[in-house]
Amino acid sequence: MAGTSLTPVAQAEDGYDLWLRYPQADAPRSSGISAHATAIIATGNSPTLTIATRELQHGIAGMTGAKPALSATVQQGALLLATPASSLALPVKTDGLGDEGYAIRSTMVDGKAVTLIAANSDIGLLHGAYHWLRLAQSGESLDNLDIRSAPKIGLRLLNHWDNLNGTVERGYAGQSIWDWWRLPDWKGPRYSDYARANASIGINGTVLNNVNAKADSLTAPYIAKAAALADVFRPYGIKVYLSVKWTAPMELDGLKTADPLDPQVAAWWKAKADEIYKAIPDFGGFLVKANSEGQPGPQDYNRTHADGANMLASAVKPHGGIVMWRAFVYAHDNPDDRAKQAYSDFKPLDGKFADNVIVQVKNGAIDFQPREPFHPLFGAMPKTPLMMEFQITKEYLGQSTHLTYLGPLFEETLDADTYAKGKGSTVAKVIDGSLEGHKLTGIAGVANIGVDRDWSGSIFNQADWYAFGRLAWDTSLSADAIAKEWAEMTFSPDAKVVQPVVKMMMGSREAAVDYMTPLGLAHVMDTGHHYGPGPWVSDLARPEWNPVYYHKADANGIGFDRTKSGSDAVGQYAPPLAKLLASAKTTPERELLWFHHLPWDYRLKSGDNLWDGLVRHYDNGVRYVADMQTTWASLKPYVDADRFAETEAFLTIQHREAQWWRDASIAYFQSVSKRPLPAGSAAPAHDLNWYKALKFPYAPGHN
Ligand code: BDP
């Protein structure tokens, strides 16, 4: 947008509208939008089409001040939504668009110039409508459109770690949006607003309850509650799924065992699946956390994960359901490197899973750290569909207040090369099924949604939800392009706002890596709540719960040796990659200490020794946050007062906490390395004991 006289928005913005704000556009843009939406024509009739046309009318009315009429006949300049089932001769082929994709083209229909949104289904039309609105909101040209878009990944899901009592595990945006208590009778407006936001970015399913599941969610009253939500979500193209507790047959109906090979157990699950599908005919299926962090599972009966998954899979199979079986496992009695355990458990099961099972793998082998190398299971189970699990909620990345845009983290993992079938075997190709020809494909994001008015705990956290959805739809999008779209819709298409905002966002995750876990460090946060630093912690029951297990810092050096001389986790990667990672010199520096234990005077590419370089990373992280504060302050004239003030306050918190992370980490590592700080680096504000004494018994998100 050319405009130089952007006026601040007068009305208060509380973030509830997310990226679907549709504010009044300036004069040239608004008339451009009107010219391409003289009327809206939908050739068909369904709840989904009603949503699509209503959304278009609402959006266009917001941006132009005039609501386009619905019309039954094609007219010049109209927006026309049609499937091949309509009586019109469509000048656009819908082959290859699947059930959810769409085409948008500026074309002639019945002799009139129109913008045609074409799809094979009404859901495809809804997605197309949102795409058109995105263009309009971001100030893109609406002339000469010729767009085709279809998702490569089939299941694009949110995972809610929401508990039946309304709390959200690792949730930093308030209580759960599911009002289980008053469901199914009361279905508040949040539910359709939630579905609308998800549909606008292509998310097509949601797992309603925590992976640390209660059996109660499978009782009749709770099935009815889930069914009520499914009814709201259905016209938006969103299915519901449930997390299940392995021992539910014992807890709910007194079975003596939960052994997956016991016929009574299998019969129980079959009857339960039948009951669920009666209430929710398009129910998606089950998500399972088994034999992990104290959850029961088939291994308790000396059965494998495949035995367990396949038994559940056969229960949902007649209904077209699927099972998502999580690979997030590590056992207290296994002395092996925690980063190796999921691979060791699952790799031997490749080829043993039923065809409606998909194994859900976290992006990294430990646990959603600020940075982790991609999980070695990607590319290592060619016969098994694998789905990605990202964490959108920022358990380890500043929780609700830090501005740490996750787009670059998602992109880095999706673009990582597994070398499974030679160069270019990216993680994205593993999960979209193209590498091994799998049809069942998926990606999940642990939701960052709660009842906070702004849904996600901060305005900028909304960008992480947005980026997850956009990348799930199209893994080839760049984090940068997504940030730009988001900023245009969330604030304004004016480059004066967009450029600095995108710049802040794009470096923000790297800054958090710098002030929390530079150079490949991981898992150095304080216990339980995972809020703030605790690299000194060494007294927890299980070795792999302790930060000292992960950084292994001592007087000589720091880092986890995962090469042959250490745990040989490197050997779990494909040979060409394993070879690179075997040597510190050919390991990307950003993952250095993840794979190598190195002396403090190891020389980094910058010329600094490891100790000095480490300290400089901490300093850089803090400095980046200070720079974001300066940038944000300069945007005051262009951002509405409420959203400006919130972000300003949160950046102040982030700066204080970045400094705390830096100071506490340096105080601790210096107590071990006994080295002086490099020139220009300030001493921590307090001594180590001061940091160790900090306690946060009421930090949110912690069970
Ligand atoms: C960890 C969380 C824990 C989750 C677990 C999981 O700290 O709350 O239950 O992952 O993914 O990140 O199962």
Side-chain angles (χ1 to χ4, degrees):
M1 173 181 128
T4 45
S5 58
L6 187 74
T7 32
V9 184
Q11 115 228 27
E13 295 240 14
D14 57 15
Y16 186 84
D17 291 335
L18 297 160
W19 47 86
L20 302 171
R21 295 163 51 249
Y22 309 125
Q24 173 78 43
D26 65 0
R29 264 184 62 222
S30 137
S31 57
I33 295 167
S34 301
H36 289 98
T38 56
I40 296 170
I41 304 149
T43 64
N45 187 4
S46 72
T48 301
L49 264 184
T50 304
I51 291 166
T53 53
R54 228 183 14 209
E55 190 78 36
L56 285 166
Q57 285 185 302
H58 168 70
I60 294 162
M63 292 183 283
T64 68
K67 181 162 139 187
L70 297 181
S71 161
T73 51
V74 178
Q75 60 183 74
Q76 187 73 15
L79 252 177
L80 168 60
L81 282 66
T83 66
S86 82
S87 53
L88 295 166
L90 299 184
V92 167
K93 284 221 175 350
T94 58
D95 310 2
L97 295 176
D99 293 341
E100 298 181 293
Y102 53 85
I104 307 178
R105 189 183 293 173
S106 311
T107 185
M108 302 293 285
V109 171
D110 278 1
K112 309 272 167 37
V114 299
T115 303
L116 170 66
I117 301 180
N120 291 314
S121 69
D122 290 352
I123 292 297
L125 295 177
L126 179 62
H127 290 149
Y130 278 118
H131 189 132
W132 188 89
L133 283 164
R134 183 160 67 233
L135 297 175
Q137 270 211 98
S138 338
E140 299 288 327
S141 164
L142 301 170
D143 303 329
N144 306 318
L145 298 180
D146 189 6
I147 295 164
R148 293 177 73 82
S149 185
K152 283 206 215 132
I153 299 180
L155 309 168
R156 303 178 304 278
L157 314 188
L158 290 182
N159 286 184
H160 284 265
W161 286 359
D162 294 23
N163 298 314
L164 301 184
N165 66 4
T167 58
V168 181
E169 181 155 345
R170 311 305 178 184
Y172 311 100
Q175 296 281 105
S176 170
I177 57 169
W178 316 135
D179 186 352
W180 291 113
W181 191 248
R182 289 184 284 189
L183 280 165
D185 303 286
W186 169 237
K187 294 181 272 192
R190 273 258 173 171
Y191 303 145
S192 51
D193 288 340
Y194 164 87
R196 167 179 175 245
N198 280 321
S200 77
I201 50 177
I203 287 170
N204 66 359
T206 181
V207 184
L208 298 174
N209 59 324
N210 193 352
V211 288
N212 294 319
K214 292 271 188 234
D216 308 73
S217 62
L218 295 176
T219 58
Y222 279 90
I223 292 172
K225 293 167 195 281
L229 291 175
D231 290 342
V232 177
F233 301 161
R234 191 167 294 114
Y236 294 88
I238 295 167
K239 286 187 181 181
V240 306
Y241 299 74
L242 290 172
S243 295
V244 297
K245 184 166 187 188
W246 187 254
T247 45
M250 301 167 76
E251 289 185 36
L252 298 181
D253 285 308
L255 269 64
K256 294 276 171 304
T257 175
D259 180 349
L261 301 193
D262 182 295
Q264 270 187 297
V265 172
W268 188 91
W269 282 106
K270 197 180 169 324
K272 188 51 76 182
D274 294 347
E275 182 188 348
I276 295 172
Y277 277 94
K278 213 160 161 207
I280 313 172
D282 55 353
F283 178 67
F286 296 136
L287 172 63
V288 193
K289 172 175 180 176
N291 294 117
S292 168
E293 298 186 327
Q295 292 298 325
Q299 291 180 334
D300 302 341
Y301 307 90
N302 291 319
R303 310 297 185 194
T304 67
H305 287 290
D307 294 330
N310 294 347
M311 183 275 289
L312 286 183
S314 72
V316 292
K317 174 102 182 170
H319 307 283
I322 57 138
V323 170
M324 296 167 287
W325 194 272
R326 294 177 89 225
F328 177 68
V329 297
Y330 60 100
H332 65 284
D333 48 2
N334 187 344
D336 203 4
D337 177 1
R338 172 172 163 190
K340 291 176 65 185
Q341 295 185 26
Y343 179 103
S344 307
D345 261 20
F346 278 80
K347 164 96 181 150
L349 300 175
D350 190 26
K352 302 222 158 75
F353 289 96
D355 63 2
N356 58 332
V357 174
I358 184 163
V359 173
Q360 182 165 316
V361 182
K362 287 189 182 181
N363 61 286
I366 300 285
D367 191 16
F368 301 136
Q369 296 302 295
R371 166 165 286 120
E372 292 192 41
F374 74 86
H375 201 301
L377 276 174
F378 291 114
M381 294 184 69
K383 297 187 198 125
T384 310
L386 300 185
M387 67 188 279
M388 172 65 71
E389 179 176 319
F390 282 128
Q391 195 179 43
I392 309 172
T393 190
K394 296 190 307 196
E395 176 177 359
Y396 300 102
L397 273 146
Q399 306 195 344
S400 74
T401 48
H402 294 206
L403 196 170
T404 45
Y405 170 53
L406 299 182
L409 186 162
F410 301 155
E411 183 179 38
E412 180 177 307
T413 311
L414 292 167
D415 290 351
D417 198 341
T418 70
Y419 290 89
K421 286 185 136 184
K423 211 170 158 33
S425 307
T426 59
V427 171
K429 287 186 187 165
V430 174
I431 64 167
D432 73 14
S434 62
L435 196 68
E436 304 292 349
H438 291 301
K439 292 272 175 297
L440 181 57
T441 54
I443 181 166
V446 179
N448 66 350
I449 296 164
V451 289
D452 276 8
R453 188 67 194 155
D454 65 16
W455 300 85
S456 300
S458 84
I459 298 301
F460 277 88
N461 289 344
Q462 297 175 354
D464 300 324
W465 177 9
Y466 183 83
F468 170 77
R470 296 286 290 127
L471 277 168
W473 181 274
D474 182 356
T475 54
S476 72
L477 292 175
S478 74
D480 188 85
I482 295 171
K484 181 166 175 287
E485 279 175 15
W486 177 82
E488 286 166 343
M489 293 191 287
T490 300
F491 296 112
S492 150
D494 192 316
K496 289 207 298 297
V497 182
V498 174
Q499 277 175 9
V501 165
V502 171
K503 191 156 175 272
M504 283 167 69
M505 290 168 76
M506 285 306 293
S508 60
R509 178 274 189 141
E510 200 60 45
V513 169
D514 276 342
Y515 62 73
M516 291 177 173
T517 53
L519 292 171
L521 289 177
H523 210 289
V524 292
M525 64 288 162
D526 205 357
T527 308
H529 47 67
H530 297 169
Y531 163 75
W536 48 80
V537 175
S538 63
D539 59 352
L540 303 175
R542 289 164 56 160
E544 78 283 359
W545 284 350
N546 292 291
V548 296
Y549 167 95
Y550 294 92
H551 61 66
K552 304 207 186 307
D554 59 22
N556 302 317
I558 183 169
F560 198 126
D561 182 4
R562 292 194 162 100
T563 68
K564 273 209 168 61
S565 54
S567 76
D568 199 23
V570 159
Q572 294 183 333
Y573 289 100
L577 181 56
K579 196 168 157 218
L580 291 175
L581 299 175
S583 152
K585 288 287 168 223
T586 48
T587 299
E589 239 168 38
R590 62 188 194 190
E591 293 167 356
L592 196 60
L593 303 176
W594 181 281
F595 290 113
H596 302 279
H597 185 84
L598 296 169
W600 291 113
D601 49 19
Y602 174 85
R603 212 44 56 220
L604 295 171
K605 298 211 167 76
S606 63
D608 277 334
N609 68 40
L610 178 55
W611 167 252
D612 289 357
L614 189 69
V615 174
R616 289 201 202 286
H617 274 279
Y618 285 118
D619 283 335
N620 289 344
V622 180
R623 194 172 314 117
Y624 191 92
V625 181
D627 289 347
M628 288 202 289
Q629 290 182 286
T630 309
T631 304
W632 188 250
S634 76
L635 292 173
K636 188 164 186 174
Y638 310 116
V639 179
D640 50 282
D642 290 0
R643 294 190 303 168
F644 179 83
E646 182 201 84
T647 303
E648 185 183 44
F650 286 3
L651 285 168
T652 307
I653 297 173
Q654 183 175 7
H655 187 258
R656 187 173 67 225
E657 295 184 349
Q659 188 73 47
W660 165 39
W661 266 95
R662 179 242 179 230
D663 285 357
S665 304
I666 290 178
Y668 171 70
F669 288 126
Q670 195 172 28
S671 77
V672 179
S673 78
K674 314 268 192 247
R675 295 195 166 227
L677 293 180
S681 228
H686 302 276
D687 67 12
L688 180 57
N689 286 328
W690 189 90
Y691 297 107
K692 284 186 173 177
L694 298 174
K695 293 282 171 282
F696 304 95
Y698 307 114
H702 180 217
N703 277 356

